[in-house]
mmCIF file of all heavy atoms in Angstrom:
data_model
loop_
_atom_site.group_PDB
_atom_site.id
_atom_site.type_symbol
_atom_site.label_atom_id
_atom_site.label_comp_id
_atom_site.label_asym_id
_atom_site.label_seq_id
_atom_site.Cartn_x
_atom_site.Cartn_y
_atom_site.Cartn_z
ATOM 1 N N THR B 79 -8.262 36.358 -17.248
ATOM 2 C CA THR B 79 -8.711 37.129 -16.091
ATOM 3 C C THR B 79 -8.115 36.613 -14.792
ATOM 4 O O THR B 79 -8.339 37.190 -13.729
ATOM 5 C CB THR B 79 -10.245 37.101 -15.984
ATOM 6 O OG1 THR B 79 -10.666 35.743 -15.792
ATOM 7 C CG2 THR B 79 -10.891 37.675 -17.236
ATOM 8 N N LYS B 80 -7.350 35.518 -14.858
ATOM 9 C CA LYS B 80 -6.706 34.919 -13.690
ATOM 10 C C LYS B 80 -7.742 34.538 -12.638
ATOM 11 O O LYS B 80 -7.618 34.902 -11.448
ATOM 12 C CB LYS B 80 -5.638 35.840 -13.121
ATOM 13 C CG LYS B 80 -4.518 36.116 -14.121
ATOM 14 C CD LYS B 80 -3.371 36.891 -13.502
ATOM 15 C CE LYS B 80 -2.263 37.064 -14.531
ATOM 16 N NZ LYS B 80 -1.079 37.771 -13.989
ATOM 17 N N GLN B 81 -8.753 33.807 -13.111
ATOM 18 C CA GLN B 81 -9.805 33.354 -12.223
ATOM 19 C C GLN B 81 -10.069 31.876 -12.454
ATOM 20 O O GLN B 81 -9.986 31.381 -13.584
ATOM 21 C CB GLN B 81 -11.094 34.140 -12.460
ATOM 22 C CG GLN B 81 -10.990 35.616 -12.133
ATOM 23 C CD GLN B 81 -12.293 36.348 -12.392
ATOM 24 O OE1 GLN B 81 -13.018 36.024 -13.329
ATOM 25 N NE2 GLN B 81 -12.597 37.314 -11.544
ATOM 26 N N SER B 82 -10.407 31.197 -11.362
ATOM 27 C CA SER B 82 -10.798 29.798 -11.447
ATOM 28 C C SER B 82 -11.994 29.580 -10.542
ATOM 29 O O SER B 82 -12.207 30.317 -9.574
ATOM 30 C CB SER B 82 -9.650 28.888 -11.012
ATOM 31 O OG SER B 82 -10.047 27.530 -10.998
ATOM 32 N N SER B 83 -12.781 28.571 -10.888
ATOM 33 C CA SER B 83 -13.898 28.215 -10.028
ATOM 34 C C SER B 83 -13.954 26.697 -9.891
ATOM 35 O O SER B 83 -13.489 25.968 -10.761
ATOM 36 C CB SER B 83 -15.223 28.741 -10.593
ATOM 37 O OG SER B 83 -15.511 28.102 -11.835
ATOM 38 N N LEU B 84 -14.502 26.262 -8.768
ATOM 39 C CA LEU B 84 -14.744 24.837 -8.542
ATOM 40 C C LEU B 84 -16.230 24.668 -8.301
ATOM 41 O O LEU B 84 -16.767 25.214 -7.337
ATOM 42 C CB LEU B 84 -13.949 24.328 -7.343
ATOM 43 C CG LEU B 84 -14.127 22.843 -7.020
ATOM 44 C CD1 LEU B 84 -13.503 21.978 -8.110
ATOM 45 C CD2 LEU B 84 -13.518 22.486 -5.662
ATOM 46 N N HIS B 85 -16.884 23.928 -9.176
ATOM 47 C CA HIS B 85 -18.317 23.703 -9.082
ATOM 48 C C HIS B 85 -18.563 22.292 -8.564
ATOM 49 O O HIS B 85 -18.014 21.335 -9.095
ATOM 50 C CB HIS B 85 -18.976 23.885 -10.457
ATOM 51 C CG HIS B 85 -20.459 23.799 -10.413
ATOM 52 N ND1 HIS B 85 -21.253 24.815 -9.928
ATOM 53 C CD2 HIS B 85 -21.305 22.806 -10.800
ATOM 54 C CE1 HIS B 85 -22.524 24.460 -10.014
ATOM 55 N NE2 HIS B 85 -22.585 23.249 -10.541
ATOM 56 N N ILE B 86 -19.384 22.211 -7.532
ATOM 57 C CA ILE B 86 -19.734 20.911 -6.953
ATOM 58 C C ILE B 86 -21.211 20.658 -7.247
ATOM 59 O O ILE B 86 -22.074 21.488 -6.890
ATOM 60 C CB ILE B 86 -19.472 20.874 -5.441
ATOM 61 C CG1 ILE B 86 -18.012 21.228 -5.167
ATOM 62 C CG2 ILE B 86 -19.802 19.497 -4.868
ATOM 63 C CD1 ILE B 86 -17.672 21.350 -3.684
ATOM 64 N N THR B 87 -21.478 19.553 -7.876
ATOM 65 C CA THR B 87 -22.841 19.208 -8.284
ATOM 66 C C THR B 87 -23.458 18.200 -7.314
ATOM 67 O O THR B 87 -22.775 17.276 -6.874
ATOM 68 C CB THR B 87 -22.834 18.601 -9.693
ATOM 69 O OG1 THR B 87 -22.218 19.529 -10.602
ATOM 70 C CG2 THR B 87 -24.232 18.284 -10.179
ATOM 71 N N ALA B 88 -24.731 18.402 -7.023
ATOM 72 C CA ALA B 88 -25.476 17.458 -6.177
ATOM 73 C C ALA B 88 -24.693 17.110 -4.914
ATOM 74 O O ALA B 88 -24.303 15.962 -4.693
ATOM 75 C CB ALA B 88 -25.828 16.209 -6.979
ATOM 76 N N SER B 89 -24.461 18.108 -4.095
ATOM 77 C CA SER B 89 -23.564 17.961 -2.942
ATOM 78 C C SER B 89 -24.007 16.825 -2.013
ATOM 79 O O SER B 89 -25.203 16.520 -1.876
ATOM 80 C CB SER B 89 -23.495 19.268 -2.163
ATOM 81 O OG SER B 89 -24.775 19.628 -1.680
ATOM 82 N N GLN B 90 -23.005 16.230 -1.370
ATOM 83 C CA GLN B 90 -23.225 15.164 -0.404
ATOM 84 C C GLN B 90 -22.600 15.565 0.924
ATOM 85 O O GLN B 90 -21.740 16.449 0.970
ATOM 86 C CB GLN B 90 -22.592 13.859 -0.915
ATOM 87 C CG GLN B 90 -23.143 13.397 -2.243
ATOM 88 C CD GLN B 90 -22.439 12.160 -2.782
ATOM 89 O OE1 GLN B 90 -21.495 11.641 -2.180
ATOM 90 N NE2 GLN B 90 -22.902 11.681 -3.940
ATOM 91 N N LEU B 91 -23.034 14.921 1.984
ATOM 92 C CA LEU B 91 -22.494 15.250 3.307
ATOM 93 C C LEU B 91 -20.977 15.090 3.333
ATOM 94 O O LEU B 91 -20.274 15.845 4.010
ATOM 95 C CB LEU B 91 -23.142 14.355 4.363
ATOM 96 C CG LEU B 91 -24.647 14.517 4.553
ATOM 97 C CD1 LEU B 91 -25.149 13.522 5.601
ATOM 98 C CD2 LEU B 91 -25.002 15.935 4.963
ATOM 99 N N SER B 92 -20.467 14.139 2.561
ATOM 100 C CA SER B 92 -19.020 13.899 2.532
ATOM 101 C C SER B 92 -18.236 15.001 1.822
ATOM 102 O O SER B 92 -16.996 15.001 1.868
ATOM 103 C CB SER B 92 -18.734 12.559 1.848
ATOM 104 O OG SER B 92 -19.244 12.578 0.519
ATOM 105 N N ASP B 93 -18.955 15.912 1.188
ATOM 106 C CA ASP B 93 -18.274 17.051 0.558
ATOM 107 C C ASP B 93 -17.878 18.110 1.576
ATOM 108 O O ASP B 93 -17.139 19.049 1.242
ATOM 109 C CB ASP B 93 -19.170 17.696 -0.507
ATOM 110 C CG ASP B 93 -19.400 16.793 -1.713
ATOM 111 O OD1 ASP B 93 -18.506 15.983 -2.020
ATOM 112 O OD2 ASP B 93 -20.477 16.899 -2.339
ATOM 113 N N SER B 94 -18.362 17.986 2.792
ATOM 114 C CA SER B 94 -17.992 18.938 3.844
ATOM 115 C C SER B 94 -16.492 18.863 4.092
ATOM 116 O O SER B 94 -15.970 17.822 4.511
ATOM 117 C CB SER B 94 -18.747 18.622 5.143
ATOM 118 O OG SER B 94 -20.132 18.793 4.977
ATOM 119 N N ALA B 95 -15.802 19.960 3.808
ATOM 120 C CA ALA B 95 -14.345 19.973 3.862
ATOM 121 C C ALA B 95 -13.866 21.382 3.554
ATOM 122 O O ALA B 95 -14.666 22.279 3.271
ATOM 123 C CB ALA B 95 -13.756 19.002 2.835
ATOM 124 N N SER B 96 -12.555 21.551 3.590
ATOM 125 C CA SER B 96 -11.950 22.794 3.125
ATOM 126 C C SER B 96 -11.416 22.560 1.719
ATOM 127 O O SER B 96 -10.825 21.506 1.437
ATOM 128 C CB SER B 96 -10.814 23.202 4.062
ATOM 129 O OG SER B 96 -10.195 24.398 3.602
ATOM 130 N N TYR B 97 -11.644 23.520 0.829
ATOM 131 C CA TYR B 97 -11.188 23.399 -0.562
ATOM 132 C C TYR B 97 -10.128 24.461 -0.807
ATOM 133 O O TYR B 97 -10.368 25.651 -0.605
ATOM 134 C CB TYR B 97 -12.366 23.541 -1.519
ATOM 135 C CG TYR B 97 -13.305 22.367 -1.404
ATOM 136 C CD1 TYR B 97 -14.301 22.348 -0.425
ATOM 137 C CD2 TYR B 97 -13.172 21.257 -2.222
ATOM 138 C CE1 TYR B 97 -15.146 21.259 -0.284
ATOM 139 C CE2 TYR B 97 -14.014 20.156 -2.097
ATOM 140 C CZ TYR B 97 -14.986 20.167 -1.119
ATOM 141 O OH TYR B 97 -15.809 19.082 -0.972
ATOM 142 N N ILE B 98 -8.963 24.010 -1.203
ATOM 143 C CA ILE B 98 -7.800 24.875 -1.313
ATOM 144 C C ILE B 98 -7.405 25.027 -2.777
ATOM 145 O O ILE B 98 -7.266 24.035 -3.493
ATOM 146 C CB ILE B 98 -6.613 24.309 -0.510
ATOM 147 C CG1 ILE B 98 -7.009 24.132 0.961
ATOM 148 C CG2 ILE B 98 -5.404 25.231 -0.620
ATOM 149 C CD1 ILE B 98 -5.967 23.388 1.783
ATOM 150 N N CYS B 99 -7.238 26.264 -3.190
ATOM 151 C CA CYS B 99 -6.756 26.586 -4.534
ATOM 152 C C CYS B 99 -5.247 26.833 -4.438
ATOM 153 O O CYS B 99 -4.781 27.564 -3.552
ATOM 154 C CB CYS B 99 -7.481 27.823 -5.040
ATOM 155 S SG CYS B 99 -6.936 28.413 -6.658
ATOM 156 N N VAL B 100 -4.491 26.236 -5.318
ATOM 157 C CA VAL B 100 -3.031 26.343 -5.301
ATOM 158 C C VAL B 100 -2.552 26.688 -6.708
ATOM 159 O O VAL B 100 -2.906 26.017 -7.673
ATOM 160 C CB VAL B 100 -2.373 25.019 -4.861
ATOM 161 C CG1 VAL B 100 -0.864 25.206 -4.719
ATOM 162 C CG2 VAL B 100 -2.970 24.526 -3.549
ATOM 163 N N VAL B 101 -1.760 27.727 -6.809
ATOM 164 C CA VAL B 101 -1.248 28.151 -8.113
ATOM 165 C C VAL B 101 0.253 27.940 -8.142
ATOM 166 O O VAL B 101 0.969 28.311 -7.208
ATOM 167 C CB VAL B 101 -1.583 29.621 -8.400
ATOM 168 C CG1 VAL B 101 -1.005 30.048 -9.750
ATOM 169 C CG2 VAL B 101 -3.093 29.830 -8.378
#
Side-chain angles (χ1 to χ4, degrees):
Chain B
T79 62
K80 298 187 177 182
Q81 296 180 325
S82 176
S83 65
L84 180 68
H85 186 75
I86 304 175
T87 303
S89 61
Q90 301 176 358
L91 296 178
S92 59
D93 292 330
S94 296
S96 179
Y97 292 85
I98 303 171
C99 177
V100 186
V101 178

